[in-house]
Amino acid sequence: MIGSRVVHQLLSCGVPVTTLSRRPYVHEATPTAALRVVRGDACDATVLAQALEGAGQVVYALSAGVPQFPSPEPFADVEHALGPLLSVLRAMRDNSARRLFFFSSGGAVYGNPTSLPVSEDAAADPISAYGVLKLAAEKYVAMYCRLHGMSYCVLRAGNVYGHGQAVVPGHGAVTTLLRAAAAGQTLQVYGDGRGLRDYVFAGDVGWLVARLVSRSDLPPVLNVGTGTGTSVLQLVAAVEEVTGRHLPVMHLPARSFDVASVVLDIRRLQALIEWAPTPLQTGVRETWRHLLAVRSREVRQGGGG
C-alpha cells in the first residue's frame, strides 16, 4: 500500500519510477512511459540488477511480518525480514543507486516509551519480534551504507492506513474496523482499548516521500506520523460516525507484546518540510468510500458471473 502511494506521487511529480514486486502491479492512474514494472523476487540478483538499472535512489517498502503476533518460526522470520533487504543493499553497492529510503516502524522499534510523544533520539527498546527485526534492519542499513559510501534515511512510520491495505489478521486497525463495520461483525480488542497510536494516512506518506527524494539534507532517521494519539476506542467512535453503523466491541485480555501507547514526535519532520497530515476523520471517510466502491464492484461482478 505504501509503495503504490509513493509511486503515484512520484509519477505525478514527473519523476520516472521502476517498481519491483512479486505480484502484478496495478497503478491507480493511467500507465505512462515514466513507469517501468519489474516482476520478481527481491532476493534474485538478476531481477535486482534489472530493477536498479539507471536508478539513483531506492524506496524500500516491502512488508515483513505482522506487528501483533509472535511467530512460531523465528528463523524464517529473520530470513523473511532481512534477506530481501541485504540483497537490495548488495545490489545497490554494485549498481548506480546511492541512497536508500527504508520504511521502518514508528511504534514497534520504540517499545514502551518513557514519555510521549517519542522523538527519534529516544531509546529503541522493542518488546516484540517484529520490532526487534525492524530495528535490526535499521542497523544493517546504517552499517552497510556507511561501509560502502551510500546514504540513507530511515522512515519510522506510524500506523499507516488507507484504501488498498491488505486484509491480514492483526494488521491495519483502520481497515479491520471498517471491514467489521461493513460486515456487521464484532470487533475484538485486546486490553481496555485506551492505548494510543499515531495513525497516518497512506496518501500523505506517499506525498512526503515524493518531496524527500529531492532533498539532500535529510537526517538518518525521521518519524512519520501526525503527532496525535488516538485510542482504539476513539477510533471505533470515528468509524461509527463515518459509517453510520454500530460496531460491537468484545474486550480480551491484554497481550505482553503489544506496546501500551506510542505517539510520534514529528518536529524534526516539520522542520524539514511543510507537513500537514490528513485529519483522522477525513482519512477514515476516504478509506470507507473506497471500501464501499470495491464491495459494490465485487457484487456487480459476482452477479454478472
Side-chain angles (χ1 to χ4, degrees):
M1 176 184 64
I2 293 177
S4 66
R5 300 303 188 279
V6 171
V7 170
H8 176 75
Q9 288 292 332
L10 286 171
L11 291 175
S12 69
C13 293
V15 179
V17 178
T18 297
T19 67
L20 170 60
S21 177
R22 288 187 298 267
R23 296 184 295 274
Y25 179 80
V26 181
H27 186 53
E28 296 174 22
T30 303
T32 69
L35 175 62
R36 186 167 70 100
V37 178
V38 176
R39 292 278 302 283
D41 196 307
C43 290
D44 187 318
T46 301
V47 170
L48 280 174
Q50 179 186 357
L52 290 176
E53 183 179 354
Q57 304 184 72
V58 173
V59 178
Y60 190 100
L62 290 181
S63 174
V66 178
Q68 283 81 5
F69 296 122
S71 171
E73 299 293 341
F75 292 104
D77 287 349
V78 171
E79 182 178 1
H80 177 65
L82 300 181
L85 173 63
L86 296 177
S87 297
V88 168
L89 287 169
R90 182 175 57 190
M92 288 178 62
R93 177 199 65 190
D94 298 335
N95 290 274
S96 58
R98 308 313 297 167
R99 181 161 69 168
L100 175 69
F101 289 88
F102 175 74
F103 271 97
S104 185
S105 167
V109 298
Y110 291 117
N112 287 315
T114 57
S115 62
L116 296 176
V118 59
S119 77
E120 295 89 345
D121 297 324
D125 189 17
I127 62 173
S128 67
Y130 178 83
V132 168
L133 289 173
K134 282 293 188 182
L135 185 57
E138 290 187 15
K139 297 298 185 181
Y140 267 113
V141 167
M143 176 196 68
Y144 208 93
C145 289
R146 183 175 64 252
L147 288 176
H148 298 285
M150 300 184 294
S151 61
Y152 69 94
C153 183
V154 170
L155 301 173
R156 289 180 176 168
N159 289 53
V160 183
Y161 71 94
H163 64 275
Q165 190 168 39
V167 183
V168 180
H171 182 70
V174 172
T175 299
T176 298
L177 265 65
L178 288 174
R179 288 186 175 275
Q185 298 172 338
T186 297
L187 178 71
Q188 294 183 340
V189 172
Y190 293 91
D192 61 11
R194 300 183 188 279
L196 302 176
R197 296 292 184 272
D198 196 330
Y199 296 97
V200 57
F201 192 50
D204 294 343
V205 178
W207 178 92
L208 175 66
V209 174
R211 273 70 189 173
L212 293 181
V213 295
S214 64
R215 301 287 295 261
S216 60
D217 56 345
L218 300 182
V221 180
L222 270 177
N223 283 340
V224 179
T226 66
T228 300
T230 302
S231 71
V232 173
L233 296 182
Q234 289 172 323
L235 185 58
V236 167
V239 167
E240 289 182 331
E241 182 175 344
V242 166
T243 64
R245 305 181 185 190
H246 174 59
L247 189 57
V249 173
M250 178 175 66
H251 287 273
L252 299 174
R255 302 176 298 187
S256 62
F257 52 85
D258 286 331
V259 172
S261 287
V262 62
V263 182
L264 300 178
D265 185 333
I266 57 172
R267 287 176 294 179
R268 183 179 295 182
L269 177 59
Q270 291 173 321
L272 275 173
I273 197 166
E274 188 174 338
W275 175 242
T278 298
L280 180 65
Q281 199 83 359
T282 303
V284 170
R285 184 175 293 108
E286 178 71 6
T287 307
W288 175 244
R289 183 177 67 83
H290 277 271
L291 175 61
L292 290 181
V294 169
R295 291 173 67 89
S296 176
R297 186 163 58 248
E298 290 173 346
V299 169
R300 291 197 304 271
Q301 291 173 346

